Amino acid sequence: MATFTLTLHPASEGDALILTWGKAPALRHALVDLGRGGDYKPLKPLLQGLGEVELFALSHIDADHIEGAVSLFKAPDLPFKAREVWFNARAQLLAANARLAPEQRVPLGSKQAEKVSEGLAASGWPLNSRFASRVVSVDSPEGAAPLTFAGGLQLTLLSPTDQSLANLLPVWLKELIRAGLRLEDLVAPPPPPADGHVHLGGLDVEALAAMDFKPDQTKPNGSSIAFIAQYNGARVLMAADAYSDIVEASLRRLGASETQRYRLACLKVAHHGSQGNTSPGLLGIIDCTCFAFSTDGSRHGHPDPQLIARILKADPQRPKTLVFNFRQPQTLCWNVPALMQKWNYRCVFPTVGQEGRVALDLLA
Ligand SMILES: [Zn+2]
């Protein structure tokens, strides 16, 4: 029997995601991000158990996605083998920048290596090897068509673009320091301040959904690797922390529109459910009733209530499922029978004792 699952693992306010596909016992896996430094140790036995992954994708350089990889590469013997790694470091940003038209190129930031590239080089795992330019970008020629993996998984790249990669260059050093990823950073810096999240009293879905969409403009998020994974006719959109407009433009290139909505078994909601990464426009061209959120709510108070209201309001007729990998104030506030009945949704939380971990059957 075919298997296709997405498992959210405990990753603090970030992502540590595993896609599994195939027919038992020949199951295959892709690992997307590794959460914060402290999230790696509890995940290690599981990674050891996988033995090998077809793809290890590090979506972008924010600490809540990549710090766990720094922990991974600290020990000389790696607990698993990656057949292929996707990661855009400074060399890839430079290559993307060089491909832009001269008037679109951005000035270069400081040269600085970071810990993950060092670790990857030592691992011997092939980096971005199926892209001739070694840049994981929708503007690389290989990004134009679905990419096939062993066992029959197909990935369609949605983000980043060459421009969104190049735009990270001027702030590369600043972002490395912020994420504690410089080779010189021996201790983790203090966490960034919360992003001005306002705790709203009560949940008025109509009012929340009517609030303006303010697009995320942080440069590392714009450089996120986002893709659709497809197996056995089911698709999941792994949105990382990508920009909504880049993902939407890619979906439209694939033929998605308001009248031909793009069918998804699940949307791994971008940026932990921040209001600025899933626009009404994007919601208007997907056909999806299952939304997965990876965050414990720390630091930024994700998911934003405006976004969940936007999702509910976008499709009031069909039953929807909200999947949360942590019980926390910003998720428990939606687990209210009156709200669930009125807006036709249910909430999925981890099994008690398994906080942070939820497995979703994408073929169900
Ligand atoms: Zn993130």
Side-chain angles (χ1 to χ4, degrees):
M1 207 178 79
T3 293
F4 187 29
T5 58
L6 165 64
T7 308
L8 317 181
H9 290 278
S12 307
E13 81 278 26
D15 285 353
L17 311 168
I18 295 179
L19 286 169
T20 298
W21 68 95
K23 295 190 171 89
L27 295 179
R28 299 176 188 273
H29 313 278
L31 171 63
V32 181
D33 295 332
L34 262 179
R36 284 205 162 257
D39 297 314
Y40 170 66
K41 205 174 161 195
L43 252 179
K44 191 177 169 184
L46 186 125
L47 296 171
Q48 229 147 11
L50 296 182
E52 185 171 87
V53 300
E54 300 303 317
L55 172 67
F56 177 23
L58 287 162
S59 67
H60 65 297
I61 61 161
D62 274 344
D64 60 321
H65 297 255
I66 205 175
E67 220 179 60
V70 176
S71 301
L72 163 77
F73 290 125
K74 259 183 201 154
D77 51 334
L78 299 167
F80 65 98
K81 184 178 163 234
R83 284 186 175 274
E84 192 171 334
V85 180
W86 288 3
F87 176 55
N88 287 319
R90 190 168 182 277
Q92 284 72 33
L93 309 187
L94 288 170
N97 196 38
R99 284 201 297 215
L100 294 172
E103 64 278 10
Q104 287 173 311
R105 280 181 207 148
V106 301
L108 307 184
S110 321
K111 190 179 157 107
Q112 190 92 29
E114 36 63 35
K115 295 174 181 178
V116 172
S117 291
E118 293 283 306
L120 279 173
S123 74
W125 296 341
L127 177 65
N128 305 341
S129 52
R130 66 171 79 209
F131 300 87
S133 61
R134 300 291 181 262
V135 183
V136 182
S137 164
V138 295
D139 295 316
S140 292
E142 300 85 353
L147 302 161
T148 302
F149 285 77
L153 184 82
Q154 288 207 316
L155 293 195
T156 305
L157 202 58
L158 303 178
S159 169
T161 60
D162 281 355
Q163 187 75 60
S164 71
L165 287 172
N167 289 346
L168 183 55
L169 274 170
V171 294
W172 174 251
L173 178 60
K174 197 180 95 203
E175 295 298 338
L176 281 191
I177 294 168
R178 201 172 68 86
L181 294 174
R182 269 191 325 173
L183 288 170
E184 289 79 2
D185 294 328
L186 295 175
V187 290
D195 60 1
H197 179 82
V198 182
H199 285 271
L200 302 139
L203 288 170
D204 180 340
V205 171
E206 296 279 0
L208 286 166
M211 290 173 80
D212 285 344
F213 169 71
K214 296 186 203 78
D216 180 7
Q217 298 188 324
T218 55
K219 300 287 192 278
N221 287 348
S223 77
S224 284
I225 295 173
F227 56 81
I228 291 158
Q230 178 165 348
Y231 177 73
N232 219 32
R235 299 168 179 148
V236 55
L237 199 168
M238 306 286 283
D241 288 1
Y243 288 175
S244 199
D245 60 345
I246 291 181
V247 170
E248 182 181 339
S250 290
L251 286 173
R252 286 190 189 274
R253 270 199 303 278
L254 295 173
S257 69
E258 286 73 7
T259 51
Q260 274 208 306
R261 290 175 171 227
Y262 198 86
R263 178 96 188 97
L264 294 171
C266 178
L267 171 64
K268 196 299 290 183
V269 180
H271 198 198
H272 325 290
S274 163
Q275 75 77 29
N277 298 71
T278 308
S279 69
L282 174 59
L283 288 171
I285 62 165
I286 59 169
D287 171 5
C288 180
T289 58
C290 177
F291 302 85
F293 300 84
S294 176
T295 174
D296 66 0
S298 60
R299 288 189 172 82
H300 304 292
H302 289 148
D304 287 333
Q306 302 94 304
L307 173 62
I308 293 184
R310 195 181 293 152
I311 286 170
L312 298 177
K313 177 83 179 161
D315 188 2
Q317 305 302 329
R318 295 187 297 173
K320 291 160 294 296
T321 303
L322 305 178
V323 180
F324 301 117
N325 71 332
F326 281 96
R327 288 176 184 78
Q328 45 114 335
Q330 297 290 112
T331 61
L332 287 170
C333 64
W334 292 99
N335 197 31
V336 175
L339 270 180
M340 292 193 275
Q341 201 175 7
K342 181 169 181 200
W343 290 96
N344 204 2
Y345 70 93
R346 68 188 183 110
C347 296
V348 171
F349 288 101
T351 311
V352 174
Q354 292 275 307
E355 209 61 18
R357 182 166 292 115
V358 185
L360 287 167
D361 182 355
L362 300 167
L363 298 179

